[in-house]
Amino acid sequence: MIVSPTEISLVSFNDLKFVSKSKGWVFNWRQDFNEPARDVFKLTIVNNPSIIQGLISLEVKIDHVFYASC
C-alpha cells in the first residue's frame, strides 16, 4: 500500500461540484455544507488539492462532536 501525505482543509462551494451523486459519491455533502453548525473538510494529497480523497463533516455539540465521513 502506498501512503501519501494528506492535507485537510475546509470544503468550498466550488468543491461541491466534484462530490455529487453523479460523480459516484453516495452522501449528499451539499446538505451538510449548508448546515450552519457544521464544518465540512476535504482530504487531499499534499500538492494536489484538486483531487478529493475523502470528506468529513464535524459539528461540535455540548458534550461530544458529531461527524459524518465518506
Side-chain angles (χ1 to χ4, degrees):
M1 169 168 46
I2 298 173
V3 177
S4 298
T6 303
E7 183 171 283
I8 301 169
S9 55
L10 283 170
V11 167
S12 71
F13 182 76
N14 288 333
D15 290 326
L16 295 176
K17 292 185 285 190
F18 306 105
V19 293
S20 63
K21 287 188 178 184
S22 65
K23 302 282 186 190
W25 293 79
V26 294
F27 188 79
N28 183 357
W29 289 102
R30 191 175 302 266
Q31 183 177 350
D32 265 34
F33 181 81
N34 290 328
E35 248 336 289
R38 295 183 185 164
D39 290 317
V40 181
F41 297 90
K42 64 181 178 178
L43 287 76
T44 58
I45 297 171
V46 172
N47 297 324
N48 196 357
S50 62
I51 299 176
I52 298 173
Q53 302 291 314
L55 295 164
I56 187 166
S57 173
L58 301 174
E59 180 178 351
V60 177
K61 300 282 193 171
I62 292 172
D63 60 346
H64 67 282
V65 174
F66 172 80
Y67 75 94
S69 65
C70 184

Short mmCIF file of all heavy atoms in Angstrom, two decimals:
data_model
loop_
_atom_site.label_atom_id
_atom_site.label_comp_id
_atom_site.label_asym_id
_atom_site.label_seq_id
_atom_site.Cartn_x
_atom_site.Cartn_y
_atom_site.Cartn_z
N MET A 1 0.84 -1.17 0.00
CA MET A 1 0.00 0.00 0.00
C MET A 1 0.88 1.24 0.00
O MET A 1 1.84 1.32 0.75
CB MET A 1 -0.91 -0.01 1.23
CG MET A 1 -1.60 1.29 1.42
SD MET A 1 -2.95 1.45 2.60
CE MET A 1 -2.46 0.68 4.07
N ILE A 2 0.53 2.19 -0.85
CA ILE A 2 1.26 3.46 -0.92
C ILE A 2 0.53 4.47 -0.05
O ILE A 2 -0.67 4.66 -0.17
CB ILE A 2 1.33 3.97 -2.37
CG1 ILE A 2 2.10 2.98 -3.24
CG2 ILE A 2 1.97 5.35 -2.42
CD1 ILE A 2 2.08 3.31 -4.70
N VAL A 3 1.28 5.12 0.83
CA VAL A 3 0.71 6.14 1.71
C VAL A 3 1.26 7.49 1.28
O VAL A 3 2.47 7.67 1.16
CB VAL A 3 1.05 5.86 3.19
CG1 VAL A 3 0.51 6.95 4.08
CG2 VAL A 3 0.52 4.50 3.60
N SER A 4 0.36 8.43 1.03
CA SER A 4 0.77 9.78 0.63
C SER A 4 0.42 10.75 1.75
O SER A 4 -0.59 10.59 2.42
CB SER A 4 0.03 10.20 -0.64
OG SER A 4 0.34 9.34 -1.70
N PRO A 5 1.24 11.79 1.93
CA PRO A 5 0.90 12.82 2.92
C PRO A 5 -0.45 13.44 2.58
O PRO A 5 -0.73 13.73 1.41
CB PRO A 5 2.02 13.83 2.79
CG PRO A 5 3.13 13.13 2.09
CD PRO A 5 2.49 12.07 1.25
N THR A 6 -1.27 13.62 3.59
CA THR A 6 -2.62 14.13 3.39
C THR A 6 -2.77 15.53 3.96
O THR A 6 -2.25 15.83 5.03
CB THR A 6 -3.64 13.20 4.07
OG1 THR A 6 -3.48 11.88 3.53
CG2 THR A 6 -5.07 13.65 3.84
N GLU A 7 -3.50 16.35 3.22
CA GLU A 7 -3.80 17.71 3.67
C GLU A 7 -5.30 17.78 3.98
O GLU A 7 -6.12 17.23 3.23
CB GLU A 7 -3.44 18.69 2.57
CG GLU A 7 -3.63 20.13 2.94
CD GLU A 7 -3.03 21.05 1.88
OE1 GLU A 7 -1.79 21.20 1.87
OE2 GLU A 7 -3.81 21.56 1.07
N ILE A 8 -5.65 18.45 5.05
CA ILE A 8 -7.05 18.63 5.45
C ILE A 8 -7.37 20.11 5.38
O ILE A 8 -6.67 20.93 5.97
CB ILE A 8 -7.30 18.10 6.87
CG1 ILE A 8 -6.93 16.62 6.95
CG2 ILE A 8 -8.74 18.33 7.29
CD1 ILE A 8 -6.89 16.06 8.36
N SER A 9 -8.44 20.44 4.64
CA SER A 9 -8.84 21.85 4.51
C SER A 9 -10.36 21.94 4.38
O SER A 9 -11.03 20.95 4.06
CB SER A 9 -8.15 22.51 3.32
OG SER A 9 -8.41 21.79 2.14
N LEU A 10 -10.89 23.11 4.63
CA LEU A 10 -12.34 23.32 4.51
C LEU A 10 -12.79 23.18 3.06
O LEU A 10 -12.09 23.60 2.14
CB LEU A 10 -12.72 24.71 5.02
CG LEU A 10 -12.77 24.89 6.54
CD1 LEU A 10 -12.91 26.36 6.90
CD2 LEU A 10 -13.91 24.08 7.13
N VAL A 11 -13.94 22.59 2.88
CA VAL A 11 -14.54 22.46 1.55
C VAL A 11 -15.10 23.82 1.14
O VAL A 11 -15.69 24.53 1.95
CB VAL A 11 -15.67 21.40 1.57
CG1 VAL A 11 -16.51 21.46 0.32
CG2 VAL A 11 -15.09 20.02 1.74
N SER A 12 -14.94 24.17 -0.12
CA SER A 12 -15.54 25.39 -0.65
C SER A 12 -16.79 25.02 -1.44
O SER A 12 -17.01 23.86 -1.79
CB SER A 12 -14.55 26.11 -1.57
OG SER A 12 -14.37 25.38 -2.77
N PHE A 13 -17.60 26.01 -1.73
CA PHE A 13 -18.80 25.78 -2.53
C PHE A 13 -18.42 25.18 -3.88
O PHE A 13 -19.09 24.29 -4.40
CB PHE A 13 -19.58 27.08 -2.69
CG PHE A 13 -20.86 26.92 -3.46
CD1 PHE A 13 -21.97 26.35 -2.86
CD2 PHE A 13 -20.93 27.29 -4.78
CE1 PHE A 13 -23.15 26.19 -3.57
CE2 PHE A 13 -22.10 27.14 -5.51
CZ PHE A 13 -23.22 26.58 -4.89
N ASN A 14 -17.32 25.66 -4.47
CA ASN A 14 -16.87 25.15 -5.77
C ASN A 14 -16.45 23.68 -5.70
O ASN A 14 -16.60 22.95 -6.68
CB ASN A 14 -15.72 25.99 -6.32
CG ASN A 14 -16.19 27.34 -6.80
OD1 ASN A 14 -17.34 27.51 -7.19
ND2 ASN A 14 -15.32 28.32 -6.74
N ASP A 15 -15.91 23.24 -4.57
CA ASP A 15 -15.51 21.84 -4.40
C ASP A 15 -16.71 20.90 -4.52
O ASP A 15 -16.56 19.76 -4.96
CB ASP A 15 -14.87 21.60 -3.03
CG ASP A 15 -13.50 22.24 -2.90
OD1 ASP A 15 -12.76 22.30 -3.91
OD2 ASP A 15 -13.17 22.67 -1.77
N LEU A 16 -17.88 21.37 -4.15
CA LEU A 16 -19.07 20.52 -4.12
C LEU A 16 -19.48 20.03 -5.51
O LEU A 16 -20.18 19.04 -5.63
CB LEU A 16 -20.23 21.24 -3.44
CG LEU A 16 -20.01 21.55 -1.96
CD1 LEU A 16 -21.18 22.34 -1.41
CD2 LEU A 16 -19.80 20.28 -1.16
N LYS A 17 -19.00 20.70 -6.56
CA LYS A 17 -19.28 20.25 -7.93
C LYS A 17 -18.69 18.87 -8.19
O LYS A 17 -19.19 18.12 -9.02
CB LYS A 17 -18.69 21.22 -8.95
CG LYS A 17 -19.35 22.57 -8.98
CD LYS A 17 -18.77 23.43 -10.09
CE LYS A 17 -17.39 23.91 -9.70
NZ LYS A 17 -16.86 24.93 -10.61
N PHE A 18 -17.64 18.53 -7.46
CA PHE A 18 -16.91 17.29 -7.71
C PHE A 18 -17.30 16.15 -6.76
O PHE A 18 -16.75 15.06 -6.86
CB PHE A 18 -15.40 17.55 -7.61
CG PHE A 18 -14.95 18.67 -8.50
CD1 PHE A 18 -14.62 19.91 -7.99
CD2 PHE A 18 -14.90 18.48 -9.88
CE1 PHE A 18 -14.21 20.94 -8.82
CE2 PHE A 18 -14.50 19.51 -10.72
CZ PHE A 18 -14.16 20.74 -10.19
N VAL A 19 -18.23 16.41 -5.85
CA VAL A 19 -18.61 15.38 -4.87
C VAL A 19 -20.12 15.14 -4.89
O VAL A 19 -20.76 15.02 -3.86
CB VAL A 19 -18.11 15.72 -3.44
CG1 VAL A 19 -16.61 15.67 -3.37
CG2 VAL A 19 -18.61 17.09 -2.99
N SER A 20 -20.67 15.02 -6.07
CA SER A 20 -22.11 14.79 -6.22
C SER A 20 -22.38 13.30 -6.46
O SER A 20 -21.47 12.52 -6.72
CB SER A 20 -22.65 15.60 -7.39
OG SER A 20 -22.05 15.17 -8.60
N LYS A 21 -23.65 12.92 -6.37
CA LYS A 21 -24.03 11.53 -6.62
C LYS A 21 -23.68 11.12 -8.05
O LYS A 21 -23.28 9.98 -8.29
CB LYS A 21 -25.50 11.32 -6.34
CG LYS A 21 -25.81 11.33 -4.86
CD LYS A 21 -27.24 10.92 -4.57
CE LYS A 21 -27.44 10.92 -3.06
NZ LYS A 21 -28.77 10.45 -2.70
N SER A 22 -23.78 12.06 -8.99
CA SER A 22 -23.44 11.75 -10.38
C SER A 22 -21.94 11.47 -10.56
O SER A 22 -21.54 10.87 -11.55
CB SER A 22 -23.89 12.87 -11.31
OG SER A 22 -23.16 14.06 -11.05
N LYS A 23 -21.13 11.91 -9.60
CA LYS A 23 -19.68 11.67 -9.64
C LYS A 23 -19.29 10.44 -8.82
O LYS A 23 -18.11 10.18 -8.62
CB LYS A 23 -18.91 12.88 -9.11
CG LYS A 23 -19.17 14.16 -9.85
CD LYS A 23 -18.42 14.20 -11.15
CE LYS A 23 -18.62 15.58 -11.77
NZ LYS A 23 -18.14 15.67 -13.10
N GLY A 24 -20.31 9.72 -8.28
CA GLY A 24 -20.02 8.49 -7.54
C GLY A 24 -20.04 8.61 -6.02
O GLY A 24 -19.83 7.63 -5.32
N TRP A 25 -20.32 9.79 -5.50
CA TRP A 25 -20.40 9.97 -4.06
C TRP A 25 -21.82 9.62 -3.61
O TRP A 25 -22.79 10.02 -4.24
CB TRP A 25 -20.06 11.41 -3.68
CG TRP A 25 -18.63 11.75 -3.96
CD1 TRP A 25 -18.08 12.06 -5.17
CD2 TRP A 25 -17.56 11.78 -3.03
NE1 TRP A 25 -16.75 12.29 -5.04
CE2 TRP A 25 -16.40 12.13 -3.73
CE3 TRP A 25 -17.47 11.55 -1.66
CZ2 TRP A 25 -15.16 12.25 -3.11
CZ3 TRP A 25 -16.24 11.68 -1.05
CH2 TRP A 25 -15.10 12.02 -1.77
N VAL A 26 -21.96 8.88 -2.52
CA VAL A 26 -23.29 8.42 -2.11
C VAL A 26 -23.94 9.30 -1.04
O VAL A 26 -25.11 9.14 -0.76
CB VAL A 26 -23.24 6.95 -1.60
CG1 VAL A 26 -22.88 6.01 -2.73
CG2 VAL A 26 -22.26 6.80 -0.45
N PHE A 27 -23.20 10.21 -0.47
CA PHE A 27 -23.72 11.08 0.58
C PHE A 27 -23.95 12.48 0.02
O PHE A 27 -23.18 12.96 -0.80
CB PHE A 27 -22.71 11.14 1.74
CG PHE A 27 -23.20 11.85 2.97
CD1 PHE A 27 -24.05 11.21 3.86
CD2 PHE A 27 -22.82 13.14 3.23
CE1 PHE A 27 -24.50 11.86 5.00
CE2 PHE A 27 -23.25 13.80 4.36
CZ PHE A 27 -24.10 13.16 5.25
N ASN A 28 -25.01 13.14 0.45
CA ASN A 28 -25.31 14.49 -0.01
C ASN A 28 -24.52 15.50 0.82
O ASN A 28 -24.99 15.99 1.85
CB ASN A 28 -26.81 14.76 0.09
CG ASN A 28 -27.20 16.12 -0.44
OD1 ASN A 28 -26.35 16.91 -0.84
ND2 ASN A 28 -28.49 16.41 -0.45
N TRP A 29 -23.30 15.80 0.38
CA TRP A 29 -22.43 16.71 1.12
C TRP A 29 -22.91 18.15 1.07
O TRP A 29 -22.62 18.94 1.97
CB TRP A 29 -21.00 16.60 0.60
CG TRP A 29 -20.40 15.29 1.01
CD1 TRP A 29 -20.25 14.19 0.21
CD2 TRP A 29 -19.95 14.92 2.30
NE1 TRP A 29 -19.72 13.17 0.94
CE2 TRP A 29 -19.52 13.59 2.23
CE3 TRP A 29 -19.87 15.58 3.52
CZ2 TRP A 29 -19.01 12.91 3.33
CZ3 TRP A 29 -19.36 14.91 4.61
CH2 TRP A 29 -18.94 13.59 4.51
N ARG A 30 -23.65 18.51 0.04
CA ARG A 30 -24.18 19.87 -0.06
C ARG A 30 -25.11 20.17 1.13
O ARG A 30 -25.13 21.27 1.66
CB ARG A 30 -24.90 20.05 -1.38
CG ARG A 30 -25.25 21.49 -1.70
CD ARG A 30 -25.85 21.61 -3.08
NE ARG A 30 -24.97 21.11 -4.11
CZ ARG A 30 -24.13 21.86 -4.81
NH1 ARG A 30 -24.07 23.15 -4.60
NH2 ARG A 30 -23.35 21.34 -5.74
N GLN A 31 -25.87 19.16 1.55
CA GLN A 31 -26.78 19.33 2.68
C GLN A 31 -26.00 19.65 3.96
O GLN A 31 -26.36 20.56 4.70
CB GLN A 31 -27.60 18.06 2.88
CG GLN A 31 -28.62 18.14 3.97
CD GLN A 31 -29.46 16.87 4.07
OE1 GLN A 31 -29.40 15.99 3.21
NE2 GLN A 31 -30.24 16.77 5.12
N ASP A 32 -24.93 18.93 4.22
CA ASP A 32 -24.10 19.22 5.40
C ASP A 32 -23.40 20.56 5.25
O ASP A 32 -23.27 21.30 6.22
CB ASP A 32 -23.07 18.11 5.61
CG ASP A 32 -23.57 17.06 6.58
OD1 ASP A 32 -24.77 16.77 6.62
OD2 ASP A 32 -22.73 16.54 7.33
N PHE A 33 -22.93 20.88 4.06
CA PHE A 33 -22.25 22.16 3.81
C PHE A 33 -23.17 23.33 4.13
O PHE A 33 -22.72 24.36 4.65
CB PHE A 33 -21.81 22.21 2.34
CG PHE A 33 -21.07 23.46 1.98
CD1 PHE A 33 -19.72 23.60 2.27
CD2 PHE A 33 -21.71 24.50 1.33
CE1 PHE A 33 -19.02 24.75 1.93
CE2 PHE A 33 -21.02 25.65 0.97
CZ PHE A 33 -19.68 25.77 1.27
N ASN A 34 -24.45 23.18 3.85
CA ASN A 34 -25.42 24.25 4.09
C ASN A 34 -25.92 24.32 5.53
O ASN A 34 -26.65 25.25 5.88
CB ASN A 34 -26.62 24.10 3.15
CG ASN A 34 -26.25 24.42 1.72
OD1 ASN A 34 -25.38 25.25 1.46
ND2 ASN A 34 -26.87 23.75 0.77
N GLU A 35 -25.52 23.37 6.38
CA GLU A 35 -25.87 23.38 7.80
C GLU A 35 -24.92 24.35 8.50
O GLU A 35 -23.72 24.10 8.57
CB GLU A 35 -25.64 22.01 8.38
CG GLU A 35 -26.71 21.13 8.85
CD GLU A 35 -28.02 21.66 9.28
OE1 GLU A 35 -28.12 22.30 10.35
OE2 GLU A 35 -28.98 21.39 8.58
N PRO A 36 -25.42 25.47 9.06
CA PRO A 36 -24.52 26.46 9.66
C PRO A 36 -23.67 25.93 10.82
O PRO A 36 -22.56 26.40 11.04
CB PRO A 36 -25.47 27.55 10.17
CG PRO A 36 -26.76 27.32 9.50
CD PRO A 36 -26.80 25.88 9.08
N ALA A 37 -24.17 24.94 11.55
CA ALA A 37 -23.44 24.42 12.72
C ALA A 37 -22.34 23.45 12.35
O ALA A 37 -21.54 23.06 13.20
CB ALA A 37 -24.42 23.75 13.68
N ARG A 38 -22.26 23.04 11.09
CA ARG A 38 -21.29 22.03 10.67
C ARG A 38 -20.19 22.60 9.80
O ARG A 38 -20.39 23.53 9.03
CB ARG A 38 -22.00 20.90 9.91
CG ARG A 38 -22.97 20.17 10.79
CD ARG A 38 -23.61 19.01 10.08
NE ARG A 38 -24.61 18.42 10.97
CZ ARG A 38 -25.55 17.61 10.58
NH1 ARG A 38 -25.64 17.25 9.31
NH2 ARG A 38 -26.40 17.12 11.45
N ASP A 39 -19.01 22.02 9.96
CA ASP A 39 -17.87 22.34 9.10
C ASP A 39 -17.54 21.09 8.29
O ASP A 39 -17.40 20.00 8.86
CB ASP A 39 -16.64 22.74 9.92
CG ASP A 39 -16.83 24.08 10.60
OD1 ASP A 39 -17.35 25.01 9.95
OD2 ASP A 39 -16.45 24.21 11.78
N VAL A 40 -17.42 21.23 6.98
CA VAL A 40 -17.09 20.10 6.12
C VAL A 40 -15.65 20.29 5.64
O VAL A 40 -15.28 21.35 5.13
CB VAL A 40 -18.05 20.00 4.91
CG1 VAL A 40 -17.69 18.80 4.04
CG2 VAL A 40 -19.50 19.88 5.40
N PHE A 41 -14.85 19.24 5.82
CA PHE A 41 -13.44 19.27 5.44
C PHE A 41 -13.18 18.26 4.33
O PHE A 41 -13.81 17.22 4.27
CB PHE A 41 -12.56 18.91 6.64
CG PHE A 41 -12.66 19.88 7.77
CD1 PHE A 41 -13.60 19.70 8.77
CD2 PHE A 41 -11.82 20.98 7.84
CE1 PHE A 41 -13.71 20.60 9.82
CE2 PHE A 41 -11.92 21.87 8.89
CZ PHE A 41 -12.87 21.69 9.88
N LYS A 42 -12.22 18.57 3.47
CA LYS A 42 -11.81 17.65 2.41
C LYS A 42 -10.40 17.14 2.72
O LYS A 42 -9.58 17.86 3.29
CB LYS A 42 -11.86 18.31 1.04
CG LYS A 42 -10.90 19.48 0.87
CD LYS A 42 -11.04 20.09 -0.52
CE LYS A 42 -10.10 21.29 -0.66
NZ LYS A 42 -10.18 21.88 -1.99
N LEU A 43 -10.16 15.91 2.34
CA LEU A 43 -8.85 15.30 2.46
C LEU A 43 -8.27 15.17 1.06
O LEU A 43 -8.90 14.57 0.18
CB LEU A 43 -8.95 13.92 3.11
CG LEU A 43 -9.25 13.91 4.61
CD1 LEU A 43 -10.70 14.23 4.87
CD2 LEU A 43 -8.88 12.59 5.21
N THR A 44 -7.12 15.77 0.87
CA THR A 44 -6.46 15.74 -0.44
C THR A 44 -5.00 15.34 -0.24
O THR A 44 -4.46 15.43 0.86
CB THR A 44 -6.52 17.11 -1.15
OG1 THR A 44 -5.90 18.09 -0.31
CG2 THR A 44 -7.95 17.52 -1.44
N ILE A 45 -4.37 14.91 -1.32
CA ILE A 45 -2.95 14.62 -1.28
C ILE A 45 -2.20 15.95 -1.30
O ILE A 45 -2.58 16.86 -2.04
CB ILE A 45 -2.54 13.74 -2.48
CG1 ILE A 45 -3.26 12.39 -2.39
CG2 ILE A 45 -1.03 13.55 -2.54
CD1 ILE A 45 -3.11 11.53 -3.61
N VAL A 46 -1.17 16.06 -0.49
CA VAL A 46 -0.38 17.29 -0.44
C VAL A 46 0.08 17.66 -1.85
O VAL A 46 0.51 16.80 -2.62
CB VAL A 46 0.82 17.12 0.52
CG1 VAL A 46 1.77 18.31 0.43
CG2 VAL A 46 0.34 16.94 1.95
N ASN A 47 -0.05 18.93 -2.19
CA ASN A 47 0.31 19.49 -3.51
C ASN A 47 -0.60 19.02 -4.64
O ASN A 47 -0.26 19.14 -5.80
CB ASN A 47 1.77 19.21 -3.86
CG ASN A 47 2.73 19.87 -2.90
OD1 ASN A 47 2.48 20.97 -2.42
ND2 ASN A 47 3.80 19.18 -2.59
N ASN A 48 -1.77 18.45 -4.30
CA ASN A 48 -2.73 18.03 -5.32
C ASN A 48 -4.15 18.27 -4.79
O ASN A 48 -4.93 17.33 -4.62
CB ASN A 48 -2.53 16.55 -5.68
CG ASN A 48 -3.22 16.17 -6.96
OD1 ASN A 48 -3.90 16.99 -7.58
ND2 ASN A 48 -3.06 14.93 -7.36
N PRO A 49 -4.50 19.54 -4.52
CA PRO A 49 -5.78 19.85 -3.87
C PRO A 49 -7.01 19.66 -4.76
O PRO A 49 -8.13 19.70 -4.27
CB PRO A 49 -5.63 21.32 -3.48
CG PRO A 49 -4.66 21.87 -4.46
CD PRO A 49 -3.71 20.73 -4.78
N SER A 50 -6.82 19.43 -6.04
CA SER A 50 -7.98 19.31 -6.92
C SER A 50 -8.63 17.92 -6.87
O SER A 50 -9.78 17.77 -7.29
CB SER A 50 -7.59 19.63 -8.36
OG SER A 50 -6.62 18.71 -8.82
N ILE A 51 -7.92 16.92 -6.36
CA ILE A 51 -8.48 15.57 -6.26
C ILE A 51 -8.84 15.29 -4.80
O ILE A 51 -7.96 15.17 -3.95
CB ILE A 51 -7.50 14.52 -6.79
CG1 ILE A 51 -7.21 14.79 -8.26
CG2 ILE A 51 -8.07 13.12 -6.60
CD1 ILE A 51 -6.19 13.89 -8.88
N ILE A 52 -10.14 15.20 -4.54
CA ILE A 52 -10.62 14.98 -3.17
C ILE A 52 -10.64 13.48 -2.89
O ILE A 52 -11.29 12.71 -3.58
CB ILE A 52 -12.02 15.61 -2.99
CG1 ILE A 52 -11.94 17.13 -3.20
CG2 ILE A 52 -12.58 15.27 -1.62
CD1 ILE A 52 -13.27 17.84 -3.21
N GLN A 53 -9.89 13.08 -1.87
CA GLN A 53 -9.79 11.68 -1.49
C GLN A 53 -10.88 11.26 -0.50
O GLN A 53 -11.25 10.09 -0.43
CB GLN A 53 -8.42 11.41 -0.86
CG GLN A 53 -7.26 11.75 -1.76
CD GLN A 53 -7.17 10.80 -2.94
OE1 GLN A 53 -7.28 9.60 -2.79
NE2 GLN A 53 -7.00 11.36 -4.13
N GLY A 54 -11.39 12.20 0.27
CA GLY A 54 -12.42 11.91 1.26
C GLY A 54 -12.94 13.19 1.87
O GLY A 54 -12.37 14.27 1.68
N LEU A 55 -14.05 13.08 2.58
CA LEU A 55 -14.68 14.23 3.23
C LEU A 55 -15.09 13.85 4.64
O LEU A 55 -15.37 12.68 4.92
CB LEU A 55 -15.93 14.67 2.45
CG LEU A 55 -15.68 15.22 1.05
CD1 LEU A 55 -16.98 15.24 0.26
CD2 LEU A 55 -15.09 16.59 1.11
N ILE A 56 -15.15 14.84 5.50
CA ILE A 56 -15.66 14.64 6.86
C ILE A 56 -16.40 15.90 7.27
O ILE A 56 -15.99 17.02 6.96
CB ILE A 56 -14.53 14.29 7.85
CG1 ILE A 56 -15.10 13.93 9.21
CG2 ILE A 56 -13.52 15.42 7.97
CD1 ILE A 56 -14.13 13.26 10.14
N SER A 57 -17.54 15.71 7.92
CA SER A 57 -18.36 16.81 8.42
C SER A 57 -18.35 16.75 9.94
O SER A 57 -18.61 15.69 10.51
CB SER A 57 -19.78 16.67 7.88
OG SER A 57 -20.64 17.62 8.46
N LEU A 58 -18.06 17.86 10.59
CA LEU A 58 -18.00 17.91 12.05
C LEU A 58 -18.96 18.96 12.59
O LEU A 58 -19.07 20.06 12.04
CB LEU A 58 -16.59 18.25 12.52
CG LEU A 58 -15.48 17.30 12.10
CD1 LEU A 58 -14.13 17.85 12.52
CD2 LEU A 58 -15.70 15.92 12.68
N GLU A 59 -19.63 18.59 13.68
CA GLU A 59 -20.50 19.53 14.39
C GLU A 59 -20.20 19.40 15.87
O GLU A 59 -20.33 18.32 16.44
CB GLU A 59 -21.97 19.23 14.13
CG GLU A 59 -22.91 20.17 14.84
CD GLU A 59 -24.37 19.90 14.52
OE1 GLU A 59 -24.67 19.09 13.64
OE2 GLU A 59 -25.22 20.52 15.19
N VAL A 60 -19.75 20.49 16.48
CA VAL A 60 -19.42 20.48 17.90
C VAL A 60 -20.70 20.63 18.71
O VAL A 60 -21.46 21.59 18.53
CB VAL A 60 -18.42 21.61 18.24
CG1 VAL A 60 -18.15 21.64 19.73
CG2 VAL A 60 -17.15 21.46 17.45
N LYS A 61 -20.94 19.65 19.57
CA LYS A 61 -22.10 19.66 20.48
C LYS A 61 -21.60 19.98 21.88
O LYS A 61 -20.39 20.11 22.11
CB LYS A 61 -22.79 18.28 20.47
CG LYS A 61 -23.30 17.84 19.13
CD LYS A 61 -24.58 18.53 18.80
CE LYS A 61 -25.25 17.85 17.61
NZ LYS A 61 -26.58 18.36 17.39
N ILE A 62 -22.50 20.09 22.84
CA ILE A 62 -22.11 20.44 24.21
C ILE A 62 -21.18 19.38 24.81
O ILE A 62 -20.18 19.72 25.42
CB ILE A 62 -23.36 20.62 25.10
CG1 ILE A 62 -24.13 21.86 24.66
CG2 ILE A 62 -22.98 20.73 26.57
CD1 ILE A 62 -25.46 22.04 25.33
N ASP A 63 -21.50 18.10 24.60
CA ASP A 63 -20.73 17.05 25.26
C ASP A 63 -20.06 16.07 24.30
O ASP A 63 -19.50 15.06 24.73
CB ASP A 63 -21.62 16.28 26.23
CG ASP A 63 -22.80 15.62 25.53
OD1 ASP A 63 -23.08 15.97 24.37
OD2 ASP A 63 -23.43 14.75 26.15
N HIS A 64 -20.11 16.34 22.99
CA HIS A 64 -19.47 15.45 22.02
C HIS A 64 -19.35 16.16 20.67
O HIS A 64 -19.88 17.24 20.49
CB HIS A 64 -20.24 14.13 21.88
CG HIS A 64 -21.61 14.31 21.26
ND1 HIS A 64 -22.69 14.79 21.97
CD2 HIS A 64 -22.04 14.07 20.00
CE1 HIS A 64 -23.75 14.83 21.17
NE2 HIS A 64 -23.38 14.41 19.97
N VAL A 65 -18.67 15.50 19.75
CA VAL A 65 -18.56 16.00 18.39
C VAL A 65 -19.28 15.01 17.48
O VAL A 65 -18.97 13.82 17.49
CB VAL A 65 -17.09 16.16 17.96
CG1 VAL A 65 -17.00 16.54 16.48
CG2 VAL A 65 -16.40 17.19 18.81
N PHE A 66 -20.23 15.49 16.70
CA PHE A 66 -20.94 14.66 15.73
C PHE A 66 -20.16 14.70 14.43
O PHE A 66 -19.69 15.75 14.00
CB PHE A 66 -22.36 15.20 15.51
CG PHE A 66 -23.09 14.53 14.39
CD1 PHE A 66 -23.69 13.31 14.57
CD2 PHE A 66 -23.13 15.12 13.14
CE1 PHE A 66 -24.34 12.67 13.53
CE2 PHE A 66 -23.79 14.50 12.09
CZ PHE A 66 -24.40 13.27 12.28
N TYR A 67 -20.02 13.54 13.78
CA TYR A 67 -19.33 13.53 12.49
C TYR A 67 -19.98 12.60 11.49
O TYR A 67 -20.65 11.65 11.85
CB TYR A 67 -17.85 13.15 12.67
CG TYR A 67 -17.63 11.67 12.92
CD1 TYR A 67 -17.34 10.82 11.86
CD2 TYR A 67 -17.70 11.15 14.19
CE1 TYR A 67 -17.15 9.47 12.08
CE2 TYR A 67 -17.50 9.81 14.42
CZ TYR A 67 -17.23 8.96 13.35
OH TYR A 67 -17.03 7.63 13.57
N ALA A 68 -19.78 12.91 10.24
CA ALA A 68 -20.16 12.06 9.12
C ALA A 68 -18.96 12.05 8.19
O ALA A 68 -18.33 13.07 7.97
CB ALA A 68 -21.39 12.62 8.40
N SER A 69 -18.63 10.87 7.67
CA SER A 69 -17.48 10.79 6.76
C SER A 69 -17.75 9.83 5.63
O SER A 69 -18.61 8.98 5.71
CB SER A 69 -16.23 10.35 7.52
OG SER A 69 -16.40 9.04 8.00
N CYS A 70 -17.01 10.01 4.58
CA CYS A 70 -17.10 9.14 3.42
C CYS A 70 -15.79 9.17 2.68
O CYS A 70 -15.12 10.15 2.63
CB CYS A 70 -18.24 9.61 2.52
SG CYS A 70 -18.53 8.56 1.11
#
